[in-house]
């Protein structure tokens, strides 16, 4: 009986070793084919993310990557649940565009505990204006402070040395873009003759911006330029000025380079904006993720920069969203 037991034990050891080698072979095979599965968490449905997904899908096809999307519909608790679902499924990496920084931090923590890498794109996590955050593979997107600075440069170019009085229309209060875009704008305007005399939030909404400017006109407030943190608000502000017969006296600056924003420049509704390719952002996010999964070095931040747009160069840019 003892003899038989030893034989059985030996046989079991052989089987264990064989299965171990089989398992290793499977892992190596996946590494060679680069057939990774990436879970992409989106915050909500907008035209911008339609363009971003185009870049993601193109890069995924080029790199033989399988993409699974989850849209949180602007609900942070829903995005947390979607992240947990990806963790349970054992995706190779989570590409995260967070609903808000708080949700993003929780997702990074949970994924790290499960040994699943996370790459953030478009929406930065944490307070570092560069987007760098401990626990992330990388952040791919704009530096919101630098983006805000570009709007300041556009404003200075439009008003010249004389400068003037500016109205600032901001996005949703307390969000990273609102805070950092304002910081960048103020930095760019230092030492210039442009003074911000009034600021109000439009929550990124065209109609709210239109109403803000209408109210200021009714109050007979004098200003030379309206600087907005997004193109929606800029087109609303420009429309209000046109309806009041004041557009030839007041300049309007947007941000984002949307289709509506670029058209508004050609139509004379606004005078300047910024531009960054959402398609390129999505493409670079997946390319960076794949590099990391292959064991290649990636930078903690890959900045996608906004550039100045005005009536002289607007035709050079293609609106994507």
């Amino acid at each position: 009986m003892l003899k038989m037991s030893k034989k059985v034990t030996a046989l079991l050891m052989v089987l264990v070793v064989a299965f171990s080698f089989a398992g290793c072979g499977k892992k190596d095979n996946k590494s060679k084919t680069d057939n990774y599965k990436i879970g992409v968490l989106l915050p909500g449905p907008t035209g911008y993310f339609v363009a971003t997904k185009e870049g993601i899908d193109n890069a995924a096809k080029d790199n033989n990557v399988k993409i699974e999307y989850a849209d949180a519909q602007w609900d942070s608790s829903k995005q947390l649940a979607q992240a947990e679902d990806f963790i349970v499924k054992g995706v190779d990496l989570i590409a995260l565009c967070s609903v808000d920084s708080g949700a993003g931090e929780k997702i990074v923590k949970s994924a790290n505990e499960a040994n699943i890498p996370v790459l953030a794109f478009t929406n930065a996590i944490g307070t570092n204006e560069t987007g760098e955050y401990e626990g992330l593979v990388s952040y791919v997107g704009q530096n919101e402070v630098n983006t805000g600075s570009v709007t300041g440069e556009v404003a200075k170019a439009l008003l010249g040395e004389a400068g003037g009085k500016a109205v600032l229309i901001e996005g949703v209060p307390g969000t990273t873009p609102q805070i950092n875009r304002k910081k960048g704008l103020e930095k760019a305007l230092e030492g210039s003759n442009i003074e911000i005399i009034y600021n109000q939030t439009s929550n990124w909404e065209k109609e709210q911006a239109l109403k803000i400017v209408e109210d200021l006109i009714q109050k007979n407030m004098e200003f030379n330029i309206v600087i907005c943190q997004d193109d929606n608000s800029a087109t609303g502000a420009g429309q209000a000025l046109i309806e009041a017969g004041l557009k030839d006296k007041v300049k309007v600056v947007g941000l984002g380079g949307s289709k509506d924003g670029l058209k508004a420049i050609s139509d004379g509704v606004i005078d300047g904006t910024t531009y960054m390719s959402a398609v390129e952002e999505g493409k670079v996010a997946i390319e960076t993720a794949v590099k990391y999964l292959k064991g290649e070095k990636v930078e903690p931040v890959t900045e996608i920069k906004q550039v100045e747009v005005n009536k002289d160069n607007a035709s050079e840019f293609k609106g994507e969203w």
Side-chain angles (χ1 to χ4, degrees):
M1 181 68 87
L2 182 60
K3 239 179 188 182
M4 181 64 71
S5 177
K6 285 181 178 178
K7 287 181 178 178
V8 170
T9 301
L11 179 60
L12 287 173
M13 288 179 68
V14 170
L15 289 172
V16 168
V17 171
F19 278 117
S20 295
F21 278 116
C24 290
K26 186 176 181 181
K27 186 175 181 181
D28 289 344
N29 185 55
K30 181 177 181 179
S31 178
K32 288 174 183 176
T33 60
D34 301 332
N35 189 22
Y36 301 113
K37 184 175 181 179
I38 296 177
V40 178
L41 294 170
L42 296 173
T46 67
Y48 185 87
F49 292 123
V50 171
T52 306
K53 286 173 71 174
E54 180 183 335
I56 289 173
D57 291 339
N58 289 342
K61 184 178 179 181
D62 292 342
N63 290 279
N64 193 29
V65 172
K66 183 178 179 182
I67 299 293
E68 183 173 343
Y69 289 104
D71 192 317
Q73 304 289 316
W74 307 109
D75 184 334
S76 58
S77 60
K78 185 173 183 178
Q79 189 168 66
L80 287 168
Q82 291 170 337
E84 288 298 331
D85 183 50
F86 281 153
I87 291 171
V88 170
K89 288 179 178 178
V91 296
D92 294 297
L93 181 142
I94 292 175
L96 167 65
C97 182
S98 59
V99 172
D100 56 53
S101 186
E105 290 173 10
K106 292 176 182 176
I107 290 169
V108 171
K109 184 175 184 294
S110 295
N112 284 175
E113 289 173 351
N115 293 317
I116 293 177
V118 181
L119 176 145
F121 66 99
T122 306
N123 291 344
I125 298 170
T127 57
N128 191 324
E129 64 187 47
T130 67
E132 185 172 353
Y133 184 76
E134 186 176 354
L136 285 179
V137 167
S138 183
Y139 164 68
V140 176
Q142 62 188 309
N143 178 318
E144 297 286 7
V145 174
N146 290 346
T147 294
S149 294
V150 176
T151 62
E153 296 302 326
V154 173
K156 288 192 290 186
L158 289 171
L159 294 183
E161 287 294 325
K165 297 177 180 179
V167 168
L168 171 60
I169 297 182
E170 304 177 71
V172 176
T175 60
T176 299
Q178 178 269 321
I179 294 168
N180 286 339
R181 288 175 185 180
K182 183 177 183 180
K183 187 188 297 184
L185 171 64
E186 292 174 337
K187 183 178 179 181
L189 295 184
E190 285 179 6
S192 75
N193 291 316
I194 299 177
E195 177 190 5
I196 298 174
I197 60 168
Y198 181 85
N199 66 291
Q200 182 59 270
T201 177
S202 66
N203 295 300
W204 318 114
E205 295 291 339
K206 177 180 179 179
E207 293 304 319
Q208 289 189 37
L210 186 149
K211 184 68 167 57
I212 289 169
V213 175
E214 282 181 339
D215 290 345
L216 295 180
I217 292 171
Q218 290 172 4
K219 292 176 181 176
N220 293 316
M221 181 180 286
E222 293 185 6
F223 49 95
N224 307 98
I225 193 167
V226 181
I227 304 172
C228 302
Q229 290 190 333
D230 66 297
D231 281 344
N232 280 342
S233 299
T235 55
Q239 184 179 329
L241 290 165
I242 288 172
E243 291 174 357
L246 296 172
K247 185 62 200 64
D248 59 331
K249 298 178 181 178
V250 181
K251 304 293 186 183
V252 179
V253 177
L255 185 155
S258 65
K259 291 178 181 177
D260 287 345
L262 294 172
K263 185 175 186 302
I265 290 179
S266 63
D267 292 344
V269 178
I270 71 175
D271 304 278
T273 187
T274 68
Y275 182 86
M276 180 184 80
S277 171
V279 174
E280 178 69 12
E281 188 175 45
K283 176 174 175 287
V284 173
I286 297 305
E287 289 175 343
T288 304
V290 171
K291 281 184 181 179
Y292 174 82
L293 291 170
K294 286 181 175 179
E296 299 176 23
K297 182 183 177 182
V298 299
E299 297 300 322
V301 175
T302 302
E303 183 180 353
I304 310 294
K305 295 184 178 181
Q306 298 265 10
V307 296
E308 298 180 37
V309 183
N310 54 47
K311 62 182 177 66
D312 295 326
N313 68 354
S315 61
E316 300 172 14
F317 301 94
K318 177 187 175 184
E320 298 174 341
W321 52 281

